[in-house]
Amino acid sequence: MTKPKILLTRELPPKAMELLNDRVSAELLNSDNVTKESIMEGLKDKQALLCLLTENIDAEILAASAHIKVVANVAVGFNNIDVTKATELKIPVTNTPGVLTETSADLAFALLMASARRITESERYLRDGKWHGWGILQFLGTDVYNSTLGIVGMGRIGKAVARRAQGFNMRVVYWNRTRLAEEEERALGVTYGPLEEVLRRSDFISVHTAYNRETHHFIGAEEFMLMKNTAHIINTARGPIIDENALVEALKNKEIAGAGLDVFEEEPKVHPGLLEMDNVVLLPHIGSATIATRTKMATMAVENLVAALEGKTPPNVVNPVIYD
Ligand code: GLV
């Protein structure tokens, strides 16, 4: 039996590649030429697309590829795909929820610790040969233990961060579009509050909302003004949830003390203002980057893709309305 032809935008971890090649005939785009044009051209004779969050699958690509049976994204977030257009064309879009929760929460906590304790800044100092001995006033940071953590967006990853915070005896306050059930709040040891209150009270604020029209620049100048001057903001969700210009201003004006960022408004560009600052920790979107987790994400995406090609409803479809 001939295998269905699909387009793969970038190479996946080896185990997922094996599974993929076992089930389909995949054309892999040249890594130097993953563009809108190459995706549209590649999809002409394919039945499905397997892509990463770096690919912007817009309405034009989808309209030109209305024959495909699925867009399988290797990410939990799917803001890189025009899901409204895909839904209109009855193309299922899939994501990879659940498998990256703990790994992403680990990284959010690592950024929180790094920002609080000035880890990357002090390492740069040491590597630059500037360290000439222990100093009582050197690199004084902020205590994490016993502090207050504000979680903005209490989904799977937000909750996983809250669980980690318990080990540091942190008070956890949160805002979410919908409040958790009391029982779950109690189990997690978290207190709900309006966003303003969460921002006012917190020593650390960690962002975990999905990115969509409602959360574009959700944290901007007004929100930074509400935060403590000693607060650190951590973002491992999506860059444009924070207004990056407003963040740079808030850091410059010392409205807040620091930031730990794994995501940026226009990746891979980083605001030049951030690059100049010592009190920010900047990472190249590595939230889910462990061997095990990236393998699970890619495998899940392959499973979603294969299910759709077999005419089944993929396990992680984000626009199930198309099956109504
Ligand atoms: C990573 O950012 C993801 O959405 O999976």
Side-chain angles (χ1 to χ4, degrees), residues 53 75-77 100 237-238 285 288 297:
L53 61 84
V76 64
L100 48 77
R238 284 292 182 268
H285 202 150
S288 61
M297 290 165 68

mmCIF file with all atom_site columns, all heavy atoms in Angstrom, residues 53 75-77 100 237-238 285 288 297, ligand 1:
data_model
loop_
_atom_site.group_PDB
_atom_site.id
_atom_site.type_symbol
_atom_site.label_atom_id
_atom_site.label_alt_id
_atom_site.label_comp_id
_atom_site.label_asym_id
_atom_site.label_entity_id
_atom_site.label_seq_id
_atom_site.pdbx_PDB_ins_code
_atom_site.Cartn_x
_atom_site.Cartn_y
_atom_site.Cartn_z
_atom_site.occupancy
_atom_site.B_iso_or_equiv
_atom_site.pdbx_formal_charge
_atom_site.auth_seq_id
_atom_site.auth_comp_id
_atom_site.auth_asym_id
_atom_site.auth_atom_id
_atom_site.pdbx_PDB_model_num
ATOM   1  N N   . LEU A 1 53  ? 6.101  25.538 15.911 1.00 0.00 ? 53  LEU A N   1
ATOM   2  C CA  . LEU A 1 53  ? 5.552  26.853 16.272 1.00 0.00 ? 53  LEU A CA  1
ATOM   3  C C   . LEU A 1 53  ? 6.254  28.002 15.563 1.00 0.00 ? 53  LEU A C   1
ATOM   4  O O   . LEU A 1 53  ? 5.774  29.126 15.559 1.00 0.00 ? 53  LEU A O   1
ATOM   5  C CB  . LEU A 1 53  ? 5.584  27.046 17.794 1.00 0.00 ? 53  LEU A CB  1
ATOM   6  C CG  . LEU A 1 53  ? 6.934  27.021 18.516 1.00 0.00 ? 53  LEU A CG  1
ATOM   7  C CD1 . LEU A 1 53  ? 7.604  28.370 18.477 1.00 0.00 ? 53  LEU A CD1 1
ATOM   8  C CD2 . LEU A 1 53  ? 6.726  26.601 19.955 1.00 0.00 ? 53  LEU A CD2 1
ATOM   9  N N   . ALA A 1 75  ? 3.488  21.601 19.338 1.00 0.00 ? 75  ALA A N   1
ATOM   10 C CA  . ALA A 1 75  ? 3.498  22.606 20.408 1.00 0.00 ? 75  ALA A CA  1
ATOM   11 C C   . ALA A 1 75  ? 2.138  22.553 21.079 1.00 0.00 ? 75  ALA A C   1
ATOM   12 O O   . ALA A 1 75  ? 1.152  22.140 20.455 1.00 0.00 ? 75  ALA A O   1
ATOM   13 C CB  . ALA A 1 75  ? 3.716  24.005 19.842 1.00 0.00 ? 75  ALA A CB  1
ATOM   14 N N   . VAL A 1 76  ? 2.097  22.993 22.320 1.00 0.00 ? 76  VAL A N   1
ATOM   15 C CA  . VAL A 1 76  ? 0.790  23.098 22.968 1.00 0.00 ? 76  VAL A CA  1
ATOM   16 C C   . VAL A 1 76  ? 0.088  24.373 22.492 1.00 0.00 ? 76  VAL A C   1
ATOM   17 O O   . VAL A 1 76  ? -1.109 24.388 22.255 1.00 0.00 ? 76  VAL A O   1
ATOM   18 C CB  . VAL A 1 76  ? 0.890  22.996 24.517 1.00 0.00 ? 76  VAL A CB  1
ATOM   19 C CG1 . VAL A 1 76  ? 1.683  24.147 25.122 1.00 0.00 ? 76  VAL A CG1 1
ATOM   20 C CG2 . VAL A 1 76  ? -0.500 22.937 25.133 1.00 0.00 ? 76  VAL A CG2 1
ATOM   21 N N   . GLY A 1 77  ? 0.862  25.443 22.306 1.00 0.00 ? 77  GLY A N   1
ATOM   22 C CA  . GLY A 1 77  ? 0.299  26.698 21.785 1.00 0.00 ? 77  GLY A CA  1
ATOM   23 C C   . GLY A 1 77  ? 0.064  26.557 20.288 1.00 0.00 ? 77  GLY A C   1
ATOM   24 O O   . GLY A 1 77  ? 0.809  25.855 19.605 1.00 0.00 ? 77  GLY A O   1
ATOM   25 N N   . LEU A 1 100 ? 4.125  18.436 27.955 1.00 0.00 ? 100 LEU A N   1
ATOM   26 C CA  . LEU A 1 100 ? 5.214  19.372 28.253 1.00 0.00 ? 100 LEU A CA  1
ATOM   27 C C   . LEU A 1 100 ? 4.965  20.179 29.526 1.00 0.00 ? 100 LEU A C   1
ATOM   28 O O   . LEU A 1 100 ? 5.733  21.080 29.856 1.00 0.00 ? 100 LEU A O   1
ATOM   29 C CB  . LEU A 1 100 ? 5.467  20.302 27.057 1.00 0.00 ? 100 LEU A CB  1
ATOM   30 C CG  . LEU A 1 100 ? 4.269  20.977 26.407 1.00 0.00 ? 100 LEU A CG  1
ATOM   31 C CD1 . LEU A 1 100 ? 3.774  22.129 27.206 1.00 0.00 ? 100 LEU A CD1 1
ATOM   32 C CD2 . LEU A 1 100 ? 4.620  21.406 25.002 1.00 0.00 ? 100 LEU A CD2 1
ATOM   33 N N   . ALA A 1 237 ? 5.296  31.846 28.434 1.00 0.00 ? 237 ALA A N   1
ATOM   34 C CA  . ALA A 1 237 ? 4.085  31.508 27.656 1.00 0.00 ? 237 ALA A CA  1
ATOM   35 C C   . ALA A 1 237 ? 4.269  31.923 26.191 1.00 0.00 ? 237 ALA A C   1
ATOM   36 O O   . ALA A 1 237 ? 4.752  31.122 25.390 1.00 0.00 ? 237 ALA A O   1
ATOM   37 C CB  . ALA A 1 237 ? 2.879  32.152 28.305 1.00 0.00 ? 237 ALA A CB  1
ATOM   38 N N   . ARG A 1 238 ? 3.907  33.161 25.881 1.00 0.00 ? 238 ARG A N   1
ATOM   39 C CA  . ARG A 1 238 ? 4.139  33.699 24.538 1.00 0.00 ? 238 ARG A CA  1
ATOM   40 C C   . ARG A 1 238 ? 4.538  35.161 24.695 1.00 0.00 ? 238 ARG A C   1
ATOM   41 O O   . ARG A 1 238 ? 3.965  35.890 25.505 1.00 0.00 ? 238 ARG A O   1
ATOM   42 C CB  . ARG A 1 238 ? 2.887  33.603 23.670 1.00 0.00 ? 238 ARG A CB  1
ATOM   43 C CG  . ARG A 1 238 ? 2.581  32.205 23.132 1.00 0.00 ? 238 ARG A CG  1
ATOM   44 C CD  . ARG A 1 238 ? 3.609  31.733 22.093 1.00 0.00 ? 238 ARG A CD  1
ATOM   45 N NE  . ARG A 1 238 ? 3.290  30.440 21.545 1.00 0.00 ? 238 ARG A NE  1
ATOM   46 C CZ  . ARG A 1 238 ? 3.729  29.259 22.023 1.00 0.00 ? 238 ARG A CZ  1
ATOM   47 N NH1 . ARG A 1 238 ? 4.525  29.226 23.095 1.00 0.00 ? 238 ARG A NH1 1
ATOM   48 N NH2 . ARG A 1 238 ? 3.388  28.134 21.443 1.00 0.00 ? 238 ARG A NH2 1
ATOM   49 N N   . HIS A 1 285 ? 13.626 30.478 23.935 1.00 0.00 ? 285 HIS A N   1
ATOM   50 C CA  . HIS A 1 285 ? 12.388 29.667 23.877 1.00 0.00 ? 285 HIS A CA  1
ATOM   51 C C   . HIS A 1 285 ? 12.691 28.164 24.052 1.00 0.00 ? 285 HIS A C   1
ATOM   52 O O   . HIS A 1 285 ? 12.454 27.364 23.139 1.00 0.00 ? 285 HIS A O   1
ATOM   53 C CB  . HIS A 1 285 ? 11.635 29.930 22.566 1.00 0.00 ? 285 HIS A CB  1
ATOM   54 C CG  . HIS A 1 285 ? 10.166 29.593 22.647 1.00 0.00 ? 285 HIS A CG  1
ATOM   55 N ND1 . HIS A 1 285 ? 9.200  30.224 21.926 1.00 0.00 ? 285 HIS A ND1 1
ATOM   56 C CD2 . HIS A 1 285 ? 9.510  28.657 23.389 1.00 0.00 ? 285 HIS A CD2 1
ATOM   57 C CE1 . HIS A 1 285 ? 8.015  29.705 22.195 1.00 0.00 ? 285 HIS A CE1 1
ATOM   58 N NE2 . HIS A 1 285 ? 8.179  28.738 23.089 1.00 0.00 ? 285 HIS A NE2 1
ATOM   59 N N   . SER A 1 288 ? 10.174 23.773 26.671 1.00 0.00 ? 288 SER A N   1
ATOM   60 C CA  . SER A 1 288 ? 9.886  22.333 26.609 1.00 0.00 ? 288 SER A CA  1
ATOM   61 C C   . SER A 1 288 ? 11.100 21.522 26.161 1.00 0.00 ? 288 SER A C   1
ATOM   62 O O   . SER A 1 288 ? 10.974 20.343 25.823 1.00 0.00 ? 288 SER A O   1
ATOM   63 C CB  . SER A 1 288 ? 8.720  22.093 25.650 1.00 0.00 ? 288 SER A CB  1
ATOM   64 O OG  . SER A 1 288 ? 9.060  22.543 24.348 1.00 0.00 ? 288 SER A OG  1
ATOM   65 N N   . MET A 1 297 ? 6.377  15.260 22.483 1.00 0.00 ? 297 MET A N   1
ATOM   66 C CA  . MET A 1 297 ? 5.582  16.234 21.713 1.00 0.00 ? 297 MET A CA  1
ATOM   67 C C   . MET A 1 297 ? 5.527  15.849 20.235 1.00 0.00 ? 297 MET A C   1
ATOM   68 O O   . MET A 1 297 ? 4.464  15.851 19.610 1.00 0.00 ? 297 MET A O   1
ATOM   69 C CB  . MET A 1 297 ? 6.198  17.641 21.838 1.00 0.00 ? 297 MET A CB  1
ATOM   70 C CG  . MET A 1 297 ? 6.058  18.260 23.205 1.00 0.00 ? 297 MET A CG  1
ATOM   71 S SD  . MET A 1 297 ? 7.163  19.685 23.411 1.00 0.00 ? 297 MET A SD  1
ATOM   72 C CE  . MET A 1 297 ? 6.433  20.870 22.283 1.00 0.00 ? 297 MET A CE  1
HETATM 73 C C1  . GLV B 2 .   ? 5.933  25.865 23.332 1.00 0.00 ? 1   GLV B C1  1
HETATM 74 O O1  . GLV B 2 .   ? 6.108  27.021 23.440 1.00 0.00 ? 1   GLV B O1  1
HETATM 75 C C2  . GLV B 2 .   ? 4.675  25.238 23.067 1.00 0.00 ? 1   GLV B C2  1
HETATM 76 O O2  . GLV B 2 .   ? 3.657  25.933 22.877 1.00 0.00 ? 1   GLV B O2  1
HETATM 77 O O3  . GLV B 2 .   ? 4.643  24.005 22.999 1.00 0.00 ? 1   GLV B O3  1
#
